[in-house]
Amino acid sequence: MATRRNKNIQAKLVLLGDMGTGKTSLVLRFVKGQFFDFQEPTIGAAFFTQLLSLNEATIKFDIWDTAGQERYHSLAPMYYRGAAAAVVVYDITSKDSFERAKKWVQQLQRQGNPNLVTVLVANKADLDSERMVDNEEGDQYAKENGLLFFETSAKTAQNINELFHVIAKRLASAAPAHLGGMKLGNRTGEGVRRLFCCSA
C-alpha cells in the first residue's frame, strides 16, 4: 500500500494591530521561545520564519510582523496582500486597541479573500487585573465576523503555540484547494512563485 506523501506548505502570515499590543512579543515567543519586558517598536515590518510539523503537513510560516504606529498603516496592504493567514492583535487592557483591531478586520474583509484564515487575538491575558475588554466581547465579535479567537499572553506563553497550531491545521486542510498566499512543496502548480513578492 502506497504511503501518503506529507505536504510541504509555505504560507505567508501577517500580524496587524496597534502599537504596543504585543505583536512582536507573540512572534518571538512562538519562533524563539523568548519574551522581553521591553520590546523596541517595529519599524515598517519585521520578518520571521518558522516550521510547524503536523501529521498531515509541514507548514513553513513566512511571518510579517507589521509596525503598529499610525504612520506605517498605509504600508500594511503591501504585507497582507496575498497572505494565507492574518492575526489581528489587541491588548485586553486597551479599549482603543480593540476598536482599532475591528478596523483592521474590516480592512481585511474589504480585500475579498474568502480563503484568508483570520484570527482575532486578545493579548496580555497576564494583565487580567487591568482588563478593559471582556473575553466575551472579543469572542462575540470574532463569531459575528467569522474569525477564530484566542486570548493569549506572550509573557506566560498562554495559547501561543495553540494559536499557530490551529492556523497551521486550517492551512493544511485547505491545501491544495487554494493557493492564495501558499506554495505546496510537492508538485507546486505554475504561477505561484509571485505570491511571495513583497517589495514596495
Side-chain angles (χ1 to χ4, degrees):
M1 191 174 77
T3 56
R4 193 164 63 84
R5 196 170 168 191
N6 192 288
K7 289 182 289 194
N8 292 311
I9 300 170
Q10 188 171 352
K12 178 180 174 182
L13 181 149
V14 63
L15 285 100
L16 302 164
D18 256 3
M19 186 173 114
T21 53
K23 299 184 299 298
T24 302
S25 293
L26 285 175
V27 180
L28 285 175
R29 175 61 84 177
F30 172 57
V31 174
K32 299 183 178 180
Q34 296 175 338
F35 176 81
F36 302 101
D37 280 317
F38 299 100
Q39 184 67 50
E40 288 290 324
T42 301
I43 306 299
F47 180 73
F48 302 85
T49 61
Q50 179 70 319
L51 283 174
L52 196 54
S53 294
L54 308 174
N55 289 332
E56 59 270 43
T58 298
I59 311 285
K60 179 179 181 260
F61 282 117
D62 289 338
I63 303 170
W64 289 96
D65 169 27
T66 65
Q69 298 100 310
E70 190 73 45
R71 68 180 182 274
Y72 294 116
H73 286 182
S74 61
L75 298 176
M78 185 172 75
Y79 297 107
Y80 64 64
R81 193 176 296 121
V87 177
V88 180
V89 184
Y90 69 90
D91 172 356
I92 68 164
T93 71
S94 167
K95 194 82 172 175
D96 284 349
S97 74
F98 180 53
E99 294 306 317
R100 182 63 196 159
K102 293 178 182 179
K103 290 186 169 62
W104 282 120
V105 170
Q106 290 162 8
Q107 200 169 325
L108 290 169
Q109 289 171 338
R110 282 198 296 272
Q111 297 304 301
N113 175 6
N115 297 312
L116 181 69
V117 177
T118 310
V119 190
L120 182 65
V121 169
N123 194 33
K124 304 193 183 181
D126 53 287
L127 299 177
D128 194 58
S129 62
E130 301 169 41
R131 178 188 292 275
M132 299 296 290
V133 185
D134 288 337
N135 179 285
E136 294 75 16
E137 192 175 355
D139 191 36
Q140 183 66 31
Y141 178 78
K143 285 191 172 84
E144 289 169 358
N145 288 275
L147 317 172
L148 297 167
F149 178 74
F150 280 88
E151 194 158 283
T152 62
S153 168
K155 186 169 189 173
T156 66
Q158 176 185 328
N159 280 338
I160 302 295
N161 288 338
E162 291 82 354
L163 163 67
F164 288 96
H165 187 82
V166 165
I167 294 171
K169 293 278 282 187
R170 288 289 181 104
L171 296 177
S173 64
H178 74 92
L179 288 170
M182 297 200 297
K183 288 196 293 195
L184 294 177
N186 45 340
R187 293 193 292 279
T188 307
E190 287 295 316
V192 298
R193 286 187 303 268
R194 291 179 298 109
L195 291 171
F196 296 94
C197 174
C198 294
S199 57

